[in-house]
Amino acid sequence: MAFESFADFLAMGKHGFYVWSAYGISAFLVITSMVLALRGQGRVRQTLARQQRRAEVDK
Amino acid sequence: MVWQTIKRWYHMLGSPRYFHTFSSRVLPWLTPIALITLVTGLVWGLVFAPSDYQQGNSYRIIFIHVPASSGALMGYMALGVSGLVAVVWRMKMAEVMLKAIAPFGAALAAISLITGSLWGKPTWGTYWQWDARMTSMLILLFMYVGVIALQNVIREPRQAARAAGLLAIVGVINVVIVKYSVEWVQTLHQGSTLKLFGESTINPAMKYPLLISMLGMWLLYAVNVLVRARTEVEWRERRSKWVQTLIRKGDQ
Amino acid sequence: MAFRAALSRELLVLWRSPAEIINPLFFFVMVISLFPLAISPRPETLALIAPGVLWVAALLAVMLSLDGLFRRDQESGVLEQLLTSPVMTVVPVTAKLLAHWLLTGLPLVLVSPVLAHMLQLPDRVLGVVMLSLLLGTPALTVIGAIGSALTVGLNRGGILLAVLVLPLYIPVLIFGAGVIRTAVEGGPVPGVLAILGALLALTASLGPLAVAAGLKISSGN
Amino acid sequence: MSDTTLRLTLEQLQCERDDRELFRDVSLTARAGEIWQITGANGAGKTTLLRILVGLHGFYEGRREWWDESWRSELLYLGHQPGVREELTPLENLRFTCALGAQSGDPMAALSAVGLRGFEDVPAAHLSAGQKRRVALARLWLERKGVWVLDEPYTAIDQDGVAQLDAQIQQAADAGTLVLYTSHHQVGDGVRRLHLAKGRAEVRA
């Protein structure tokens, strides 16, 4: 363990702000891209299911 | 014999249907592995790696910066290759890949820029310094934006993909040339280029977490691409019977 | 034979619509004259920024002149004739690029010494200014034409063309302006000029093929 | 036996556009000397079908095959637009299309044949839509090509122009040219029809 205590870990020896903001923003962007990908899949499945139901109703 | 297997793989992966089943089988186990690898690499680097005698702890940003930069670069190379296959051999899957690879690559390029400048502040005193690496990454981000913008403007999906493919091919050549021309500008002004990530990574205690987090990020990139590609395949093949049955069955 | 016919036709078409020639030239002159007003008329500062200003202005002038390069041909149906002709598409395309450069790029080169002088660049450097633009503007025309070919079918191509093409312009800009800066600082000009020449060779050989491919893709192939 | 007159084979041609299916299962074998009239409502895909034949449009399923590799040198394609540059005169336009299409012939004679005598040197910008189409049609009076693909050749053509065009097409077909054109007007009696409706194609030979 490179740090004595959790507080020390958070402070990162006066560089805490930079390290945690870097990781925070990176996590945000990665998660957003993942969520968008999954939401895209859901939306496509939904539209196709709706089209299918509409097609069956017409038949 | 090798040539047969390559050809067989080329045709198998070329068929959207096979790719769909392939990705549906791979995703359930690849996603956890990617996440675990990435998290172990980051935790190892953040918590257990020793602090750097010069930069203290701010260097720990490297464990997200380098994976992101390498991912963005690899992503654009993959775009170039998919572009070549899409434009020259007109392969449908390559067109799907062009749509699937770009977004996460652009995100990684943005991450690389942000983490790079956040690392620059404590180390060099400024958030932005126009050094060779950061400028190349900025231009790479612009080129990602170009590919994504072109794809979204053109209505016809196949034409949009092939246009973006051609741009990606030209783009890949440009990435290499930009790298040298930016370094040339550097040598003109500041003598030798500043090695922002040079010697501090030699120390093995830092090298292993870095390699693991890089692997983790690439696997995560693969997961993102597979999800997006699978969605794109479902949309493009929506008229085919196998997608109709899949929707009717309500696949997970 | 088809190349000569295509070249003479393109020159004729451009010659008959003088706006296509005059606008880029005036744009170039106007943009350059903004900088002394915006930054400072002092000779030392001007001479310092002159290489960059000349090249950014030339780059923008060429790019804007390429925006509608193929649009008229597409709307009138000439592009379809070109794509369905037995002659390889790259031949008339190269002729069009050459004609376009002759009437938009070359004038910039010819007028650049005057503007370089206005930006307080020493007279011994004016030759290098022309040479760097002479090698650079054709590369800018070809690269820009790739973007123009890819956006020919779209109505608001302008901004999109810039987004696609500017990153591709950066190496030519760096070495183009670099040639002039090296000359001003008395450094080894031939070396940098050779790189610019190499960039031109690369774009002039592969570029037209990419433009032809782009036109085919834009027409739905 | 190799059928030397076979020019074009289409098998199960299927094409989508803007999210909907334009047509499917379009099959056809066309031979030299035949005249094919392609009909269908607006938006049925007539122009797209022609553009697939001449290789302008590449996103389709199924097979399109010309009789040999160098079919492009035997192709004369008149597109939806006349293909005339406004800055140039009819004569310059025609000379340019000859060079580009590797087609010889006397442009002056062709222009007068389509009733543009005296307009040879007027910039195309001053011509009417009908006259611009005639400049494009003048190519039919130049050196005869093996395959004519004409998109709506009869639009904006007046009465006697129609008769003249019918005669020229008939004459070319008799000399062995395969003519495929889209229009509501029927050239003559021996014309085969391909009707595109509701995504299907019926061949009424």
Side-chain angles (χ1 to χ4, degrees):
Chain A
M1 260 291 280
F3 298 94
E4 286 67 36
S5 70
F6 185 68
D8 189 12
F9 171 67
L10 280 188
M12 280 282 178
K14 73 174 171 37
H15 291 147
F17 164 72
Y18 302 109
V19 173
W20 295 120
S21 49
Y23 276 82
I25 295 170
S26 312
F28 170 73
L29 286 174
V30 165
I31 290 164
T32 324
S33 182
M34 274 297 168
V35 163
L36 285 178
L38 293 169
R39 210 156 57 96
Q41 176 170 332
R43 225 179 309 115
V44 161
R45 291 252 166 98
Q46 237 177 10
T47 2
L48 291 188
R50 215 180 319 114
Q51 278 173 357
Q52 207 170 56
R53 271 197 304 281
R54 216 178 299 129
E56 258 131 33
V57 164
D58 296 346
K59 260 212 275 313
Chain B
M1 220 314 274
V2 174
W3 179 238
Q4 268 72 25
T5 34
I6 296 170
K7 254 173 86 60
R8 200 168 54 78
W9 265 92
Y10 179 82
H11 286 298
M12 268 210 306
L13 267 186
S15 96
R17 175 162 193 186
Y18 181 83
F19 172 83
H20 190 275
T21 33
F22 167 78
S23 54
S24 307
R25 258 209 323 276
V26 160
L27 272 172
W29 56 265
L30 183 65
T31 323
I33 287 182
L35 288 174
I36 292 165
T37 327
L38 184 60
V39 168
T40 28
L42 293 183
V43 166
W44 183 347
L46 271 174
V47 178
F48 297 103
S51 56
D52 182 65
Y53 55 90
Q54 265 175 341
Q55 297 175 13
N57 289 315
S58 67
Y59 90 94
R60 293 182 193 279
I61 295 180
I62 188 176
F63 298 115
I64 190 73
H65 177 72
V66 170
S69 316
S70 59
L73 207 56
M74 283 307 125
Y76 204 92
M77 298 299 162
L79 272 184
V81 170
S82 315
L84 196 68
V85 173
V87 169
V88 173
W89 289 291
R90 309 174 70 92
M91 208 169 92
K92 264 193 169 182
M93 266 324 291
E95 291 169 13
V96 165
M97 279 304 168
L98 274 164
K99 207 147 199 314
I101 291 170
F104 198 73
L108 288 185
I111 292 172
S112 162
L113 284 170
I114 295 167
T115 52
S117 69
L118 279 170
W119 186 1
K121 182 73 173 126
T123 329
W124 316 105
T126 65
Y127 280 107
W128 186 262
Q129 218 185 8
W130 292 104
D131 70 305
R133 277 180 63 90
M134 295 303 272
T135 318
S136 304
M137 188 51 73
L138 184 66
I139 296 164
L140 186 63
L141 178 63
F142 292 158
M143 286 158 64
Y144 266 115
V145 166
V147 167
I148 294 170
L150 186 60
Q151 262 181 351
N152 293 341
V153 159
I154 299 177
R155 257 197 351 268
E156 193 57 44
R158 289 210 65 182
Q159 187 179 333
R162 284 165 57 71
L166 183 70
L167 185 67
I169 298 169
V170 177
V172 163
I173 302 172
N174 193 52
V175 165
V176 176
I177 299 176
V178 158
K179 203 162 156 35
Y180 291 108
S181 37
V182 167
E183 259 147 32
W184 178 78
V185 173
Q186 277 297 307
T187 50
L188 233 357
H189 290 299
Q190 283 156 342
S192 76
T193 53
L194 304 177
K195 260 289 163 222
L196 196 57
F197 320 103
E199 44 322 308
S200 62
T201 56
I202 307 302
N203 170 339
M206 299 169 190
K207 197 160 62 145
Y208 292 116
L210 182 59
L211 291 178
I212 292 174
S213 23
M214 252 169 96
L215 179 62
M217 185 58 93
W218 288 19
L219 289 176
L220 200 61
Y221 197 163
V223 166
N224 192 286
V225 167
L226 286 182
V227 170
R228 286 176 186 272
R230 198 170 62 159
T231 314
E232 183 64 18
V233 159
E234 281 170 17
W235 177 251
R236 281 183 178 220
E237 304 290 323
R238 59 193 179 284
R239 248 182 224 88
S240 66
K241 272 180 287 307
W242 66 274
V243 173
Q244 295 297 341
T245 40
L246 179 121
I247 299 292
R248 195 166 294 115
K249 214 152 34 70
D251 189 59
Q252 45 77 22
Chain C
M1 218 293 283
F3 181 80
R4 245 197 346 249
L7 184 61
S8 57
R9 186 197 82 110
E10 290 301 332
L11 287 171
L12 211 55
V13 165
L14 283 173
W15 196 255
R16 294 246 173 94
S17 46
E20 302 262 344
I21 307 164
I22 306 297
N23 292 352
L25 200 57
F26 272 108
F27 176 86
F28 181 60
V29 175
M30 285 182 213
V31 165
I32 286 177
S33 38
L34 296 181
F35 284 86
L37 312 173
I39 302 174
S40 95
R42 275 212 327 283
E44 311 77 33
T45 19
L46 276 185
L48 186 63
I49 59 167
V53 164
L54 277 166
W55 259 88
V56 168
L59 177 145
L60 293 177
V62 169
M63 189 179 70
L64 291 175
S65 74
L66 289 167
D67 183 26
L69 182 66
F70 296 109
R71 187 159 297 131
R72 293 283 298 269
D73 286 345
Q74 195 220 14
E75 278 156 7
S76 65
V78 168
L79 187 59
E80 281 188 347
Q81 295 295 340
L82 202 133
L83 294 173
T84 53
S85 98
V87 176
M88 275 178 29
T89 320
V90 77
V91 169
V93 160
T94 314
K96 188 168 181 71
L97 296 183
L98 180 60
H100 190 83
W101 177 74
L102 282 174
L103 292 176
T104 50
L106 200 54
L108 303 189
V109 176
L110 300 179
V111 86
S112 59
V114 172
L115 295 160
H117 186 78
M118 279 163 61
L119 291 175
Q120 314 300 339
L121 276 180
D123 291 348
R124 63 180 169 79
V125 163
L126 299 188
V128 173
V129 165
M130 287 183 74
L131 203 53
S132 89
L133 283 172
L134 189 66
L135 288 181
T137 42
L140 295 177
T141 302
V142 172
I143 297 170
I146 297 173
S148 180
L150 287 174
T151 59
V152 71
L154 315 172
N155 32 41
R156 25 156 185 58
I159 291 297
L160 181 67
L161 178 67
V163 168
L164 302 187
V165 156
L166 280 176
L168 307 177
Y169 272 173
I170 287 171
V172 178
L173 173 68
I174 288 176
F175 286 107
V179 165
I180 306 177
R181 214 175 25 255
T182 323
V184 168
E185 289 153 4
V189 168
V192 195
L193 213 55
I195 300 174
L196 189 60
L199 279 179
L200 173 61
L202 176 71
T203 33
S205 55
L206 298 180
L209 293 170
V211 175
L215 287 174
K216 286 193 182 112
I217 290 172
S218 294
S219 87
N221 195 332
Chain D
M1 65 97 188
S2 92
D3 177 347
T4 55
T5 65
L6 180 65
R7 285 289 179 266
L8 169 67
T9 324
L10 297 182
E11 262 172 37
Q12 262 76 41
L13 215 62
Q14 191 240 335
C15 180
E16 282 176 12
R17 192 173 55 179
D18 306 337
D19 271 358
R20 63 180 172 77
E21 192 178 74
L22 215 48
F23 49 75
R24 129 201 315 277
D25 297 337
V26 174
S27 299
L28 168 88
T29 42
R31 285 181 174 62
E34 287 173 357
I35 301 178
W36 284 84
Q37 177 187 4
I38 298 167
T39 56
N42 288 341
K46 302 195 292 290
T47 300
T48 310
L49 179 59
L50 288 192
R51 294 182 87 235
I52 290 174
L53 298 187
V54 295
L56 278 173
H57 188 82
F59 301 130
Y60 60 89
E61 310 296 329
R63 201 165 69 90
R64 172 217 76 185
E65 205 181 316
W66 291 98
W67 74 99
D68 83 19
E69 271 315 302
S70 69
W71 60 276
R72 278 187 194 283
S73 52
E74 276 304 317
L75 170 71
L76 188 149
Y77 171 62
L78 293 190
H80 214 51
Q81 307 293 344
V84 161
R85 276 305 293 259
E86 303 232 315
E87 297 90 347
L88 301 178
T89 67
L91 200 56
E92 288 161 349
N93 268 298
L94 214 51
R95 234 181 245 123
F96 171 63
T97 22
C98 284
L100 196 63
Q103 188 180 13
S104 61
D106 166 14
M108 289 297 283
L111 284 172
S112 50
V114 289
L116 283 175
R117 182 186 299 284
F119 290 94
E120 290 87 355
D121 296 317
V122 169
H126 306 312
L127 296 179
S128 72
Q131 285 171 318
K132 279 191 202 140
R133 281 215 75 86
R134 284 169 177 273
V135 174
L137 286 171
R139 291 183 59 196
L140 305 184
W141 273 266
L142 292 173
E143 177 210 352
R144 191 178 59 76
K145 289 281 184 177
V147 176
W148 287 5
V149 176
L150 317 171
D151 196 342
E152 299 293 345
Y154 288 91
T155 43
I157 298 294
D158 52 36
Q159 204 44 39
D160 54 20
V162 167
Q164 214 188 355
L165 191 51
D166 286 351
Q168 188 66 4
I169 290 179
Q170 197 59 55
Q171 196 197 335
D174 299 345
T177 297
L178 163 63
V179 180
L180 299 115
Y181 74 98
T182 57
S183 175
H184 298 299
H185 169 75
Q186 191 168 344
V187 167
D189 35 30
V191 168
R192 301 157 192 268
R193 282 184 55 160
L194 181 79
H195 186 64
L196 287 177
K198 288 192 293 307
R200 292 291 176 281
E202 304 144 39
V203 175
R204 300 185 192 133

